[in-house]
Amino acid sequence: MIPPDLINTEAFTNLYLLLVNSVYILLPLSLILLLFSKISFKVTIFLLGVYASYSIVIPYLLKIPLISNFVLTFGDYSFFIYLIFSLIFGFVFYHLVNIAFVVGGFLLGGLVGYSIGTFIISSNGEWLNNLPFSISYIPWIIFAILGVIVAIIFSKNYQSIISMISVIFGAFILSFYTIYLLEKHTSITIGNNSLLNGWEQLSQPEFFGIFISLIIYMIIGFYLIVRSNRKKANN
């Protein structure tokens, strides 16, 4: 069985190459994200920024000829260029995430509120004619109210949301390495061991192996979060 075509996209190909070529960085990173997400959410955000740099930002920057040629001129030192850039991006990402969370929460709540307001107007209720202002303001009023409410909720639950995101990212990376490293460094054969050559020919056993590992690691990560929250509540 060949998994869905989405794994054949260029983005997934770039992600595969980064995972394979950055084992010594991303494997420890995945363990930290998965097992220690509640220790320091600041560190978690920074590590998520490093991961985003390796998996998303760098592959797209390398599509720019000027940047690609610059990296190629350093040959074997490209690893250190990626590392330095990722560390810098991690620091920048940390400062941007807090703002983005509040703004994102406001926009999310606002869009829901605007939809509710539009629905209210479309109902053509008689009470709408008795309002002291134009009914066209209703969607924007609800936009502002729900936007502020959701932004406050997001800001108060910031640490918990970041912890859950870190668990998901860590579980995904670790589930990949579980199958990949077993195939590469042991005599175990999983399907056709085709993961060693890329996503394109991923066999059914490998696909389900990664998927089951992902679920197990996520359960472990979320369990640790719940246990940490219970300890804080008891104290």
Side-chain angles (χ1 to χ4, degrees), residues 2-17:
I2 302 297
D5 288 341
L6 61 89
I7 68 169
N8 294 322
T9 63
E10 185 176 358
F12 269 83
T13 299
N14 291 332
L15 175 59
Y16 176 85
L17 293 175

PDB file of all heavy atoms in Angstrom, residues 2-17:
ATOM      1  N   ILE A   2       0.585   2.195  -0.898  1.00  0.00           N
ATOM      2  CA  ILE A   2       1.310   3.449  -0.935  1.00  0.00           C
ATOM      3  C   ILE A   2       0.488   4.496  -0.197  1.00  0.00           C
ATOM      4  O   ILE A   2      -0.676   4.708  -0.507  1.00  0.00           O
ATOM      5  CB  ILE A   2       1.536   3.930  -2.385  1.00  0.00           C
ATOM      6  CG1 ILE A   2       2.301   2.862  -3.162  1.00  0.00           C
ATOM      7  CG2 ILE A   2       2.302   5.246  -2.402  1.00  0.00           C
ATOM      8  CD1 ILE A   2       3.671   2.569  -2.649  1.00  0.00           C
ATOM      9  N   PRO A   3       1.054   5.162   0.832  1.00  0.00           N
ATOM     10  CA  PRO A   3       0.319   6.165   1.576  1.00  0.00           C
ATOM     11  C   PRO A   3      -0.094   7.324   0.674  1.00  0.00           C
ATOM     12  O   PRO A   3       0.342   7.423  -0.465  1.00  0.00           O
ATOM     13  CB  PRO A   3       1.340   6.633   2.634  1.00  0.00           C
ATOM     14  CG  PRO A   3       2.253   5.462   2.790  1.00  0.00           C
ATOM     15  CD  PRO A   3       2.349   4.865   1.425  1.00  0.00           C
ATOM     16  N   PRO A   4      -0.955   8.246   1.188  1.00  0.00           N
ATOM     17  CA  PRO A   4      -1.477   9.345   0.381  1.00  0.00           C
ATOM     18  C   PRO A   4      -0.396  10.130  -0.336  1.00  0.00           C
ATOM     19  O   PRO A   4       0.730  10.252   0.132  1.00  0.00           O
ATOM     20  CB  PRO A   4      -2.193  10.223   1.422  1.00  0.00           C
ATOM     21  CG  PRO A   4      -2.567   9.261   2.498  1.00  0.00           C
ATOM     22  CD  PRO A   4      -1.483   8.252   2.544  1.00  0.00           C
ATOM     23  N   ASP A   5      -0.757  10.721  -1.489  1.00  0.00           N
ATOM     24  CA  ASP A   5       0.203  11.412  -2.327  1.00  0.00           C
ATOM     25  C   ASP A   5       0.836  12.620  -1.670  1.00  0.00           C
ATOM     26  O   ASP A   5       1.854  13.121  -2.123  1.00  0.00           O
ATOM     27  CB  ASP A   5      -0.474  11.876  -3.635  1.00  0.00           C
ATOM     28  CG  ASP A   5      -0.759  10.703  -4.547  1.00  0.00           C
ATOM     29  OD1 ASP A   5      -0.135   9.646  -4.341  1.00  0.00           O
ATOM     30  OD2 ASP A   5      -1.606  10.842  -5.451  1.00  0.00           O
ATOM     31  N   LEU A   6       0.233  13.108  -0.570  1.00  0.00           N
ATOM     32  CA  LEU A   6       0.757  14.306   0.046  1.00  0.00           C
ATOM     33  C   LEU A   6       2.188  14.118   0.538  1.00  0.00           C
ATOM     34  O   LEU A   6       2.933  15.077   0.698  1.00  0.00           O
ATOM     35  CB  LEU A   6      -0.128  14.756   1.210  1.00  0.00           C
ATOM     36  CG  LEU A   6      -0.331  13.824   2.419  1.00  0.00           C
ATOM     37  CD1 LEU A   6       0.752  14.059   3.465  1.00  0.00           C
ATOM     38  CD2 LEU A   6      -1.702  14.033   3.020  1.00  0.00           C
ATOM     39  N   ILE A   7       2.619  12.867   0.800  1.00  0.00           N
ATOM     40  CA  ILE A   7       3.992  12.662   1.255  1.00  0.00           C
ATOM     41  C   ILE A   7       4.981  12.787   0.106  1.00  0.00           C
ATOM     42  O   ILE A   7       6.179  12.781   0.321  1.00  0.00           O
ATOM     43  CB  ILE A   7       4.160  11.292   1.940  1.00  0.00           C
ATOM     44  CG1 ILE A   7       4.007  10.149   0.934  1.00  0.00           C
ATOM     45  CG2 ILE A   7       3.206  11.123   3.081  1.00  0.00           C
ATOM     46  CD1 ILE A   7       4.416   8.810   1.495  1.00  0.00           C
ATOM     47  N   ASN A   8       4.495  12.909  -1.115  1.00  0.00           N
ATOM     48  CA  ASN A   8       5.396  13.044  -2.247  1.00  0.00           C
ATOM     49  C   ASN A   8       5.667  14.497  -2.595  1.00  0.00           C
ATOM     50  O   ASN A   8       6.356  14.785  -3.566  1.00  0.00           O
ATOM     51  CB  ASN A   8       4.799  12.339  -3.481  1.00  0.00           C
ATOM     52  CG  ASN A   8       4.728  10.834  -3.274  1.00  0.00           C
ATOM     53  OD1 ASN A   8       5.625  10.251  -2.684  1.00  0.00           O
ATOM     54  ND2 ASN A   8       3.653  10.228  -3.739  1.00  0.00           N
ATOM     55  N   THR A   9       5.095  15.421  -1.838  1.00  0.00           N
ATOM     56  CA  THR A   9       5.293  16.821  -2.120  1.00  0.00           C
ATOM     57  C   THR A   9       6.723  17.231  -1.794  1.00  0.00           C
ATOM     58  O   THR A   9       7.428  16.568  -1.025  1.00  0.00           O
ATOM     59  CB  THR A   9       4.318  17.686  -1.313  1.00  0.00           C
ATOM     60  OG1 THR A   9       4.603  17.504   0.079  1.00  0.00           O
ATOM     61  CG2 THR A   9       2.873  17.293  -1.606  1.00  0.00           C
ATOM     62  N   GLU A  10       7.123  18.363  -2.375  1.00  0.00           N
ATOM     63  CA  GLU A  10       8.487  18.844  -2.166  1.00  0.00           C
ATOM     64  C   GLU A  10       8.748  19.166  -0.707  1.00  0.00           C
ATOM     65  O   GLU A  10       9.849  18.957  -0.191  1.00  0.00           O
ATOM     66  CB  GLU A  10       8.714  20.086  -3.026  1.00  0.00           C
ATOM     67  CG  GLU A  10      10.140  20.609  -2.980  1.00  0.00           C
ATOM     68  CD  GLU A  10      10.350  21.780  -3.917  1.00  0.00           C
ATOM     69  OE1 GLU A  10       9.383  22.146  -4.630  1.00  0.00           O
ATOM     70  OE2 GLU A  10      11.461  22.326  -3.938  1.00  0.00           O
ATOM     71  N   ALA A  11       7.733  19.690  -0.009  1.00  0.00           N
ATOM     72  CA  ALA A  11       7.897  20.034   1.408  1.00  0.00           C
ATOM     73  C   ALA A  11       8.252  18.804   2.230  1.00  0.00           C
ATOM     74  O   ALA A  11       9.129  18.852   3.101  1.00  0.00           O
ATOM     75  CB  ALA A  11       6.618  20.677   1.934  1.00  0.00           C
ATOM     76  N   PHE A  12       7.588  17.670   1.944  1.00  0.00           N
ATOM     77  CA  PHE A  12       7.869  16.452   2.696  1.00  0.00           C
ATOM     78  C   PHE A  12       9.227  15.879   2.305  1.00  0.00           C
ATOM     79  O   PHE A  12       9.915  15.274   3.127  1.00  0.00           O
ATOM     80  CB  PHE A  12       6.766  15.422   2.465  1.00  0.00           C
ATOM     81  CG  PHE A  12       5.650  15.510   3.463  1.00  0.00           C
ATOM     82  CD1 PHE A  12       4.631  16.429   3.307  1.00  0.00           C
ATOM     83  CD2 PHE A  12       5.631  14.688   4.572  1.00  0.00           C
ATOM     84  CE1 PHE A  12       3.614  16.519   4.230  1.00  0.00           C
ATOM     85  CE2 PHE A  12       4.620  14.761   5.509  1.00  0.00           C
ATOM     86  CZ  PHE A  12       3.604  15.687   5.336  1.00  0.00           C
ATOM     87  N   THR A  13       9.622  16.077   1.062  1.00  0.00           N
ATOM     88  CA  THR A  13      10.948  15.627   0.646  1.00  0.00           C
ATOM     89  C   THR A  13      12.029  16.405   1.389  1.00  0.00           C
ATOM     90  O   THR A  13      13.008  15.828   1.878  1.00  0.00           O
ATOM     91  CB  THR A  13      11.123  15.803  -0.870  1.00  0.00           C
ATOM     92  OG1 THR A  13      10.138  15.018  -1.553  1.00  0.00           O
ATOM     93  CG2 THR A  13      12.508  15.348  -1.306  1.00  0.00           C
ATOM     94  N   ASN A  14      11.846  17.732   1.479  1.00  0.00           N
ATOM     95  CA  ASN A  14      12.793  18.568   2.216  1.00  0.00           C
ATOM     96  C   ASN A  14      12.824  18.187   3.692  1.00  0.00           C
ATOM     97  O   ASN A  14      13.889  18.154   4.324  1.00  0.00           O
ATOM     98  CB  ASN A  14      12.428  20.049   2.064  1.00  0.00           C
ATOM     99  CG  ASN A  14      12.660  20.554   0.653  1.00  0.00           C
ATOM    100  OD1 ASN A  14      13.512  20.034  -0.054  1.00  0.00           O
ATOM    101  ND2 ASN A  14      11.901  21.552   0.245  1.00  0.00           N
ATOM    102  N   LEU A  15      11.648  17.908   4.253  1.00  0.00           N
ATOM    103  CA  LEU A  15      11.580  17.503   5.652  1.00  0.00           C
ATOM    104  C   LEU A  15      12.326  16.190   5.878  1.00  0.00           C
ATOM    105  O   LEU A  15      13.061  16.042   6.863  1.00  0.00           O
ATOM    106  CB  LEU A  15      10.113  17.351   6.075  1.00  0.00           C
ATOM    107  CG  LEU A  15       9.869  16.813   7.493  1.00  0.00           C
ATOM    108  CD1 LEU A  15      10.522  17.720   8.532  1.00  0.00           C
ATOM    109  CD2 LEU A  15       8.380  16.669   7.755  1.00  0.00           C
ATOM    110  N   TYR A  16      12.159  15.246   4.962  1.00  0.00           N
ATOM    111  CA  TYR A  16      12.854  13.962   5.073  1.00  0.00           C
ATOM    112  C   TYR A  16      14.373  14.162   5.069  1.00  0.00           C
ATOM    113  O   TYR A  16      15.093  13.580   5.897  1.00  0.00           O
ATOM    114  CB  TYR A  16      12.448  13.047   3.927  1.00  0.00           C
ATOM    115  CG  TYR A  16      13.194  11.738   3.900  1.00  0.00           C
ATOM    116  CD1 TYR A  16      12.765  10.650   4.659  1.00  0.00           C
ATOM    117  CD2 TYR A  16      14.356  11.587   3.132  1.00  0.00           C
ATOM    118  CE1 TYR A  16      13.458   9.449   4.651  1.00  0.00           C
ATOM    119  CE2 TYR A  16      15.053  10.389   3.121  1.00  0.00           C
ATOM    120  CZ  TYR A  16      14.611   9.325   3.879  1.00  0.00           C
ATOM    121  OH  TYR A  16      15.304   8.137   3.876  1.00  0.00           O
ATOM    122  N   LEU A  17      14.862  14.971   4.150  1.00  0.00           N
ATOM    123  CA  LEU A  17      16.299  15.213   4.053  1.00  0.00           C
ATOM    124  C   LEU A  17      16.844  15.861   5.319  1.00  0.00           C
ATOM    125  O   LEU A  17      17.935  15.525   5.787  1.00  0.00           O
ATOM    126  CB  LEU A  17      16.602  16.097   2.832  1.00  0.00           C
ATOM    127  CG  LEU A  17      16.326  15.456   1.467  1.00  0.00           C
ATOM    128  CD1 LEU A  17      16.536  16.463   0.353  1.00  0.00           C
ATOM    129  CD2 LEU A  17      17.196  14.222   1.250  1.00  0.00           C
TER     130      LEU A  17
END
